[in-house]
Amino acid sequence: MLDSNSLIGMPWQLAKSRLQAAHIPFKVMIGGASFNRFFEIADEGFYVARITKVDECLHILVYRPMIASDFGHSIEVDYAKEII
């Protein structure tokens, strides 16, 4: 039996294949645009954000992933690494 909580955070294509293999009925909802000042949003791909069970069907909310910024490679972060 597939634990639906194990799908949260997983890339949607992988989660979808596992649900189909387990013959679990589902509906997919695409979340609206995420407004984030620090990260850009990817143009492709989705990840599983939330799963709710309605009757015998899973309702799956997916979002586009954020693209990591270069913050970890800034001069300030490098300076802090040297001190620590």
Side-chain angles (χ1 to χ4, degrees):
M1 183 71 186
L2 181 67
D3 177 19
S4 61
N5 288 331
S6 67
L7 302 177
I8 294 175
M10 186 178 288
W12 169 236
Q13 290 301 323
L14 179 57
K16 180 180 177 183
S17 65
R18 290 186 179 188
L19 289 166
Q20 290 172 333
H23 304 289
I24 297 173
F26 60 89
K27 291 184 181 180
V28 179
M29 297 159 285
I30 298 174
S34 175
F35 298 100
N36 188 308
R37 294 184 211 173
F38 305 107
F39 299 99
E40 293 188 27
I41 304 300
D43 293 330
E44 297 180 4
F46 290 98
Y47 72 94
V48 177
R50 185 176 66 208
I51 298 174
T52 53
K53 188 172 183 179
V54 178
D55 297 324
E56 294 300 314
C57 183
L58 295 181
H59 288 209
I60 301 173
L61 178 64
V62 297
Y63 283 102
R64 292 213 180 269
M66 291 182 278
I67 300 171
S69 72
D70 289 331
F71 176 77
H73 301 290
S74 68
I75 294 170
E76 292 83 2
V77 172
D78 290 338
Y79 176 74
K81 287 178 184 176
E82 289 176 14
I83 292 174
I84 295 173

